[in-house]
Amino acid sequence: MTKAVHPQKGRVSVLILTYPHAQQSAIFGLMDLLNAANDFYQRDRGKGSPECVFSVVTRDVDTVSFEQEDSCTACTDSVVIIPPCLGHTPKEFASWPHLLSPWHQKGTLICSICAGALYLAQTGLLDDRPATTHWSLEEEFLKRHPEVKLNIDKLLIDDGDIITAGGLMAWVDLGLRLVERFMGSATMLTTARFFLVDPGGREQRYYSSFSPSFGHGDAAILKAQHWLHKHFNEPLTVPMMANEACLEGRTFIRRFQAATRLTPSKYLQQLRVSKARELMELSRMNIEEIAWQVGYEDASAFRRVFQAITGLTPRDYRKRFSPLNRIDEVL
């Protein structure tokens, strides 16, 4: 657990920036979660513990200014949060660097959620640093900001002065991390129990699906991809894939990785695990049957690959995500 960092004068100034298509449920959800944490902290803090309170406000990115908000955050810890963008790919806004960089230089903790990381990356603050965003934005993000060490497996990356959270609902994880940082683990756990949410240990790869790129423009690799998606459950080798693409082996591997960002073998593993996830969610086949259906003769090897990609064992994945499993438990 993170050790609580109690702010001066007991106030943590939290500014949530709003913009067109920002996810309103994340904005108001964070406000509710942090305000609830205020109540729990005041109720449960021990005698002699410093007083702490989140002061949460929202401002439109087109009207806010560093000077305006900086005067309100003097002598306090301050946090700026960029919420998710709902239903649209974030566009370039010239105002982001002018806003966020001065705050960061003054010691403000900068946070983003989901697509908000694309706005944060525009400032250069994420250059050569680890960050996460929604798994479906990986290709767009890397195209715009290849200098960022993107890790979409993680639901939340706390890099000290910058925190990035992955999915649309990762505002919950970010909110709990802020509560833990400023009010301590006890208040964080109380808040998590109140909202009936998992206080930690989740990863984005539990939920992400395999979304290969088909728009890379390499016709030979595209032909091999289409062939793989038809024959994924057969015994396949890289030479067979290269033959389908009509390319020499080394050339095929190099071009395949350039087009898909995966080696041919890793691509096949991802494809097979994706099919296995569907079978675990929607069928009652046992693990050995599923392994065979997706192209693995050795169920133990399948289990190792599955856990390496999803972060969960096949059994734990089915327990967490299969509606059929929940029906069986009720019956």
Side-chain angles (χ1 to χ4, degrees):
M1 293 294 182
T2 303
K3 185 179 179 180
V5 180
H6 297 292
Q8 298 179 30
K9 293 193 175 181
R11 188 158 74 95
V12 181
S13 175
V14 179
L15 171 63
I16 304 175
L17 295 173
T18 64
Y19 57 89
H21 308 298
Q23 183 185 349
Q24 299 300 301
S25 60
I27 295 170
F28 290 108
L30 273 167
M31 296 177 72
D32 286 343
L33 188 149
L34 295 178
N35 285 326
N38 284 340
D39 294 337
F40 297 135
Y41 182 79
Q42 294 300 318
R43 185 191 69 186
D44 298 335
R45 70 188 180 99
K47 184 177 180 180
S49 297
E51 183 178 353
C52 180
V53 62
F54 287 109
S55 176
V56 189
V57 297
T58 63
R59 295 283 188 272
D60 189 285
V61 70
D62 291 327
T63 61
V64 73
S65 69
F66 168 72
E67 293 78 11
Q68 170 193 353
E69 296 302 324
D70 190 50
S71 63
C72 299
T73 59
C75 300
T76 70
D77 278 83
S78 55
V79 180
V80 171
I81 299 174
I82 310 171
C85 182
L86 195 61
H88 294 74
T89 301
K91 298 179 180 179
E92 301 284 337
F93 285 169
S95 55
W96 290 110
H98 301 297
L99 279 176
L100 299 179
S101 295
W103 274 321
H104 183 257
Q105 291 171 11
K106 292 277 287 187
T108 294
L109 173 61
I110 308 295
C111 307
S112 69
I113 309 166
C114 191
L118 280 164
Y119 291 131
L120 179 53
Q122 292 178 34
T123 67
L125 294 175
L126 292 180
D127 289 2
D128 299 315
R129 299 185 63 163
T132 189
T133 187
H134 194 284
W135 59 266
S136 66
L137 295 173
E138 180 184 22
E139 184 175 358
E140 178 70 21
F141 193 105
L142 290 174
K143 187 185 301 182
R144 294 193 197 180
H145 306 286
E147 64 282 356
V148 179
K149 297 176 181 177
L150 191 66
N151 183 352
I152 57 144
D153 286 344
K154 299 296 184 181
L155 197 60
L156 186 140
I157 294 179
D158 185 343
D159 203 32
D161 55 336
I162 294 177
I163 301 176
T164 53
L168 285 164
M169 293 301 294
W171 62 264
V172 176
D173 301 81
L174 174 61
L176 292 177
R177 178 58 60 90
L178 294 176
V179 173
E180 184 181 24
R181 175 178 288 206
F182 293 105
M183 294 179 170
S185 58
T187 302
M188 183 275 289
L189 291 170
T190 300
T191 305
R193 283 194 292 268
F194 178 77
F195 283 92
L196 298 179
V197 294
D198 187 345
R202 296 192 299 159
E203 294 188 24
Q204 193 167 191
R205 59 180 172 163
Y206 296 172
Y207 311 94
S208 62
S209 60
F210 180 46
S211 301
S213 172
F214 295 102
H216 44 70
D218 191 325
I221 300 305
L222 181 61
K223 181 182 178 184
Q225 285 179 269
H226 287 160
W227 181 77
L228 279 172
H229 282 256
K230 288 182 180 179
H231 302 278
F232 69 91
N233 58 349
E234 300 173 10
L236 300 178
T237 64
V238 174
M240 292 169 65
M241 302 177 204
N243 182 67
E244 188 64 26
C246 300
L247 294 172
E248 185 270 337
R250 290 184 180 179
T251 301
F252 170 73
I253 293 172
R254 175 177 54 78
R255 285 173 57 175
F256 193 97
Q257 192 161 3
T260 67
R261 298 195 305 278
L262 292 169
T263 65
S265 297
K266 292 291 186 183
Y267 188 99
L268 180 58
Q269 288 180 347
Q270 289 276 1
L271 178 57
R272 286 174 167 172
V273 167
S274 175
K275 299 297 184 181
R277 289 166 81 151
E278 293 177 10
L279 291 173
M280 285 182 198
E281 294 169 13
L282 302 176
S283 81
R284 288 188 170 86
M285 289 184 191
N286 63 44
I287 302 304
E288 288 72 20
E289 288 176 308
I290 291 174
W292 184 82
Q293 285 284 337
V294 300
Y296 287 92
E297 295 182 0
D298 183 348
S300 297
F302 165 72
R303 287 187 173 91
R304 288 194 297 271
V305 171
F306 188 92
Q307 186 167 5
I309 290 175
T310 67
L312 295 168
T313 66
R315 180 179 180 182
D316 288 342
Y317 183 89
R318 171 168 267 171
K319 185 176 181 180
R320 183 183 286 253
F321 292 109
S322 173
L324 298 178
N325 185 66
R326 289 191 285 273
I327 291 172
D328 290 341
E329 287 180 355
V330 171
L331 296 177

